[in-house]
């Protein structure tokens, strides 16, 4: 009697169990996303910056902007020829031309281009040299150098613009012909000496021939 009851209960539950099994089998399978390959993950991580972008180095300031045009005349002559221009070196100890070469005959007077104080007057490696710290040019002040010059001033002398510092010596080791090497520094930084000259002195207008007036003939 009890066995018949169990069989009847099982037969009643069998359709429900079958329907549930069919519903589960009909559901779409859910697949897990595949893990990225190690190579792709390395490429992705390397392409992304690991922090803020590095700063872009700024352009160096213009050296000529640091030099006031305080010169009132050329150190030699009235408008000497520039035999060799200023060529700043790429590195502090690199090759270059730390100044300008001005054509001048031996014995020519060498003058201070602006007011200042003589900071050196003597000989360096057998060559005469004079250096002048220019007044009112900042701290440290601009310093002009002249070689080869036989000095007629002493260290500590106050000089005015146009005052003679010495005479040009004969020296064929620097220029093919006689020349004055004119340098400019601020502390240990070399600058272009021609930037001391104002435009009216550096670029002088060419001379013009004027008509000569003639006297009128008397009738």
């Amino acid at each position: 009697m009890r066995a018949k009851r169990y069989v009847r209960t099982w037969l009643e539950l069998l359709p429900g169990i079958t329907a549930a099994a069919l519903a589960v089998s009909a559901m779409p399978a859910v697949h897990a996303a595949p893990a990225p390959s190690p190579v792709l993950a390395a490429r992705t991580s390397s392409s992304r910056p690991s922090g803020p972008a590095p700063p872009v180095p700024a352009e160096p300031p213009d050296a000529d902007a640091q030099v006031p045009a305080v010169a009132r005349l050329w150190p030699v002559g009235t408008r000497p020829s520039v035999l060799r221009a200023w060529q700043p070196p790429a590195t502090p100890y690199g090759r270059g031309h730390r100044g300008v070469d001005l054509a001048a005959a031996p014995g020519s007077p060498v003058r201070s281009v602006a007011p200042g104080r003589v900071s050196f007057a003597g000989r360096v490696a057998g060559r005469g040299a004079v250096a002048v710290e220019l007044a009112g040019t900042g701290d440290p002040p601009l310093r002009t150098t002249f070689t080869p010059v036989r000095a007629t001033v002493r260290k500590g002398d106050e000089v005015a613009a146009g005052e003679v510092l010495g005479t040009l010596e004969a020296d064929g080791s620097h220029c093919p012909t006689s020349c004055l090497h004119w340098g400019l520094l601020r502390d240990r930084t070399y600058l272009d000496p021609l930037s001391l000259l104002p435009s009216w002195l550096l670029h002088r207008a060419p001379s013009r021939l004027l008509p000569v007036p003639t006297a009128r003939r008397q009738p």
Side-chain angles (χ1 to χ4, degrees), residues 43-51:
R43 290 180 179 177
T44 305
S45 61
S46 62
S47 62
R48 295 178 181 175
S50 58

Side-chain angles (χ1 to χ4, degrees), residues 4 37 60 98 102 132 139 165 189:
K4 291 181 180 180
S37 64
R98 297 168 172 83
L102 305 178
V132 178
D139 185 21
L165 305 173
T189 302

Side-chain angles (χ1 to χ4, degrees), residues 132-162:
V132 178
E133 292 182 351
L134 303 181
T137 56
D139 185 21
L142 292 172
R143 185 171 73 257
T144 55
T145 59
F146 308 94
T147 55
V149 176
R150 184 177 299 276
T152 56
V153 292
R154 296 180 179 180
K155 181 179 179 179
D157 288 351
E158 299 288 337
V159 293

Side-chain angles (χ1 to χ4, degrees), residues 114-138:
R117 182 183 63 87
V118 177
S119 59
F120 179 83
R123 307 196 74 80
V124 178
R127 305 176 68 201
V130 177
V132 178
E133 292 182 351
L134 303 181
T137 56

Side-chain angles (χ1 to χ4, degrees), residues 48-131:
R48 295 178 181 175
S50 58
V56 179
E59 293 293 330
D62 186 7
D64 291 347
Q66 306 174 12
V67 180
V70 296
R72 294 295 174 261
L73 73 166
W74 289 80
V76 287
T78 55
R79 183 62 173 88
S81 299
V82 178
L83 301 180
R84 186 179 179 185
W86 181 63
Q87 298 173 347
T91 61
Y93 300 99
R95 298 182 61 183
H97 192 231
R98 297 168 172 83
V100 295
D101 294 336
L102 305 178
S108 300
V110 178
R111 303 178 296 267
S112 179
V113 298
R117 182 183 63 87
V118 177
S119 59
F120 179 83
R123 307 196 74 80
V124 178
R127 305 176 68 201
V130 177

